[in-house]
């Protein structure tokens, strides 16, 4: 029997994978701005997977950054600095949204896509979930 926590984890994992897939599609279509946004959202949902059993999940991006810092940064749960990656990607995404005509380069989009994949894999490994 699947518990409520497992269902919520699966839902967030599906969201993260879907956004990562959309980022890949946007990359293939050379729509790099959208690829960065979807990569960021994938990371956002990946981090939220970690918060489900803490009963602190939220749709607020700033609150998720605070919660991630509170629960995972000090614990050193991984060698990957998820907090720095998420902050860096959010700042980049926010700056893109403030400059409507700005275009993201292919290299930048690939960098964020790669980070989103890495974050998801780290979260899955931490939770012992197969990718």
């Amino acid at each position: 029997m699947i518990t409520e926590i497992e269902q919520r984890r699966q839902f967030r994992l599906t969201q993260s994978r879907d956004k990562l897939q959309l980022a890949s599609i946007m990359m293939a279509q050379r729509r790099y701005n959208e690829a960065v946004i979807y990569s960021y959202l994938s990371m956002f949902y990946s981090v939220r997977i970690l918060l489900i059993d803490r009963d602190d999940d939220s749709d607020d991006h700033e609150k998720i950054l605070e919660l991630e810092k509170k629960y995972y940064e000090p614990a050193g749960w991984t060698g990957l600095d998820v907090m720095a990656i998420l902050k860096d990607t959010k700042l980049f995404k926010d700056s893109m949204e403030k400059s409507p005509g700005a275009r993201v380069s292919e290299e930048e989009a690939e960098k964020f896509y790669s980070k989103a994949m890495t974050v998801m894999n780290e979260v899955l490994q931490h939770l012992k979930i197969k990718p």
Side-chain angles (χ1 to χ4, degrees):
M1 179 175 193
I2 298 176
T3 67
E4 180 185 340
I5 288 177
E6 290 168 339
Q7 287 177 332
R8 289 171 56 198
R9 255 194 207 125
Q10 195 58 43
F11 175 68
R12 293 287 179 237
L13 179 56
T14 298
Q15 286 180 302
S16 181
R17 284 182 173 148
D18 288 350
K19 299 306 181 217
L20 196 58
Q21 184 178 17
L22 286 169
S24 176
I25 291 167
M26 294 299 109
M27 295 280 294
Q29 294 178 357
R30 302 165 120 0
R31 295 170 60 184
Y32 304 126
N33 287 36
E34 291 92 340
V36 169
I37 291 167
Y38 285 124
S39 294
Y40 168 74
L41 289 172
S42 175
M43 286 184 240
F44 177 73
Y45 291 123
S46 289
V47 169
R48 287 179 73 179
I49 293 168
L50 295 171
L51 299 171
I52 288 171
D53 61 346
R54 304 244 182 222
D55 222 15
D56 257 338
D57 195 12
S58 171
D59 287 329
D60 182 318
H61 293 244
E62 294 301 325
K63 183 173 180 184
I64 291 299
L65 287 172
E66 290 172 25
L67 292 170
E68 195 271 342
K69 182 177 182 177
K70 176 182 173 182
Y71 291 125
Y72 296 100
E73 188 179 71
W77 62 276
T78 179
L80 181 67
D81 191 347
V82 174
M83 185 69 177
I85 291 171
L86 197 58
K87 277 184 180 177
D88 181 42
T89 307
K90 183 176 184 328
L91 287 172
F92 191 85
K93 178 191 82 68
D94 290 349
S95 72
M96 278 177 26
E97 290 172 348
K98 289 177 184 171
S99 304
R103 299 299 313 154
V104 174
S105 71
E106 180 178 4
E107 293 78 26
E108 289 171 316
E110 285 177 357
K111 176 179 80 171
F112 289 110
Y113 177 78
S114 176
K115 287 180 179 184
M117 262 201 305
T118 301
V119 168
M120 185 189 330
N121 288 333
E122 284 288 322
V123 167
L124 294 176
Q125 183 177 359
H126 177 72
L127 296 172
K128 297 174 179 48
I129 299 172
K130 293 185 180 183

